[in-house]
Amino acid sequence: MNKILSFTVILLITSAAIAQDELFIDNKKFFKGMDQVNLAEFTVSFTTSEAKSASTQSRTNFSGAKSALKVETNGLTKELIQRITDEAYADFISKLEAKGIKVGRYVVEDKVNKNMLRYIKRTENFAENVDHYQAYSAISTITASPDGQPFISYKNQFQVGLAAKQSGGKPINVNYIINSGYIQANANTTKNNFMNEVYTKTKVAFLPGIQVWWRSGIEGWEKHNKKAELKINKHIYVETGAPGDLITKNKIDLGRYGRATLEIRVDPDKYYTDAMNVLKQANTKLVNALDDAR
């Protein structure tokens, strides 16, 4: 029988280069001839916690390894969230107009038949866990819209498509999510037949620095089930370190099992500067790509 040797590694602070330039575009013809953007929704979601783990398991017994890390971002005030959202929105509009693209407000309630109004659902500003990333990771978020207005949350934005089907206008939504860093989780198993040993190893590592996350971007609607996408394909990342103090809590290392919680206590000035940096980069990339596509 193979001897199982298991190890866990938790790295609370590290750094790595992350690609920043790639975009994903689907149904490119939607943007053809778009001299006016009809903007239905613009939201920014702010991550307040993220958790990831990596694990291995032997097929012959219960030996294995597991590493788990949770990162909490504390100190994001409503005032800071609203300021960043409003300024990111203003920057997006400004960049469109600089390209000669007009911007109009697309109000869904004004575009659907009266008998459909009761189905239009808006969410109050600063709602929790209504972002587009919920399907991909264990995160908690707060979402804001410009001027603090109620908004149509991501899971209900197909309603913009219903309005487009009834009234036309090719509306778009813009949804961003930003985080204080990124957790990488890896697990691997290697076998040494000569020594009759199996090595299992897991690792989680935190990369501090504000990011606009993958799948943030633009969705354009023609019908409730037909849309175009212009999205960030990899995180936009600024390596300026964590946007505040880092505090390690509840760290446990038992050889085959390790876990920890990392708290980021936000420095409002640094968080604002770094968040606007990446959001402006994202705006530039998306507006340039939209302009090229049209």
Side-chain angles (χ1 to χ4, degrees):
M1 178 178 293
N2 290 322
K3 180 181 180 182
I4 308 295
L5 302 176
S6 302
F7 304 92
T8 65
V9 179
I10 296 179
L11 302 177
L12 297 184
I13 305 172
T14 186
S15 63
I18 296 179
Q20 301 182 28
D21 298 334
E22 297 180 36
L23 298 175
F24 169 81
I25 186 166
D26 184 50
N27 191 11
K28 188 175 181 179
K29 65 181 181 180
F30 174 89
F31 302 100
K32 188 72 174 177
M34 187 172 282
D35 296 325
Q36 175 168 318
V37 163
N38 295 317
L39 186 57
E41 297 296 335
F42 184 102
T43 67
V44 182
S45 298
F46 297 77
T47 302
T48 56
S49 72
E50 177 195 9
K52 281 187 180 179
S53 63
S55 62
T56 62
Q57 185 67 57
S58 168
R59 295 181 180 179
T60 57
N61 56 36
F62 292 103
S63 296
K66 182 175 182 179
S67 301
L69 179 63
K70 182 178 182 180
V71 178
E72 301 173 344
T73 300
N74 294 321
L76 285 174
T77 64
K78 291 182 177 180
E79 291 77 14
L80 178 60
I81 288 171
Q82 194 64 59
R83 180 187 179 191
I84 292 170
T85 302
D86 289 348
E87 293 188 21
Y89 173 75
D91 180 73
F92 183 73
I93 300 300
S94 176
K95 284 176 168 139
L96 285 171
E97 292 175 343
K99 294 289 187 181
I101 303 172
K102 298 178 182 179
V103 181
R105 184 80 173 93
Y106 192 93
V107 181
V108 170
E109 289 84 348
D110 296 339
K111 303 295 183 180
V112 297
N113 297 332
K114 290 183 178 180
N115 62 348
M116 290 293 296
L117 281 174
R118 58 180 174 169
Y119 298 108
I120 304 302
K121 298 179 180 179
R122 289 193 175 268
T123 300
E124 290 300 314
N125 202 41
F126 305 124
E128 297 182 359
N129 305 331
V130 295
D131 59 276
H132 70 272
Y133 216 81
Q134 291 296 315
Y136 302 109
S137 184
I139 61 172
S140 299
T141 60
I142 298 172
T143 298
S145 66
D147 298 323
Q149 296 300 308
F151 58 91
I152 298 177
S153 66
Y154 185 77
K155 72 176 182 178
N156 292 322
Q157 286 182 2
F158 69 91
Q159 295 169 350
V160 179
L162 292 174
K165 181 180 179 181
Q166 292 182 12
S167 301
K170 298 174 72 172
I172 73 166
N173 304 325
V174 180
N175 300 290
Y176 285 129
I177 182 168
I178 61 174
N179 193 14
S180 304
Y182 181 70
I183 301 176
Q184 287 183 335
N186 297 288
N188 60 74
T189 300
T190 58
K191 186 174 182 180
N192 186 329
N193 292 321
F194 180 76
M195 297 294 294
N196 202 35
E197 294 177 340
V198 175
Y199 298 89
T200 64
K201 182 178 181 180
T202 61
K203 181 177 76 171
V204 289
F206 180 62
L207 288 65
I210 296 290
Q211 305 182 357
V212 173
W213 269 13
W214 172 77
R215 301 301 292 173
S216 294
I218 295 171
E219 293 184 347
W221 293 90
E222 298 179 88
K223 300 179 181 179
H224 72 282
N225 59 353
K226 185 178 181 181
K227 63 183 179 181
E229 293 184 308
L230 178 54
K231 300 287 188 71
I232 304 298
N233 203 38
K234 291 189 177 180
H235 299 342
I236 297 176
Y237 178 62
V238 174
E239 284 190 87
T240 57
D245 295 331
L246 291 166
I247 300 170
T248 303
K249 305 187 299 184
N250 306 322
K251 186 174 181 180
I252 296 174
D253 187 354
L254 300 177
R256 288 189 299 163
Y257 176 74
R259 75 180 185 199
T261 299
L262 181 63
E263 180 186 3
I264 301 174
R265 295 181 180 175
V266 165
D267 176 332
D269 293 334
K270 181 168 175 49
Y271 191 99
Y272 165 80
T273 299
D274 292 351
M276 289 308 304
N277 185 330
V278 292
L279 285 167
K280 286 181 177 181
Q281 285 189 55
N283 283 342
T284 297
K285 292 176 188 297
L286 293 177
V287 169
N288 286 348
L290 189 154
D291 187 46
D292 291 341
R294 74 185 182 105

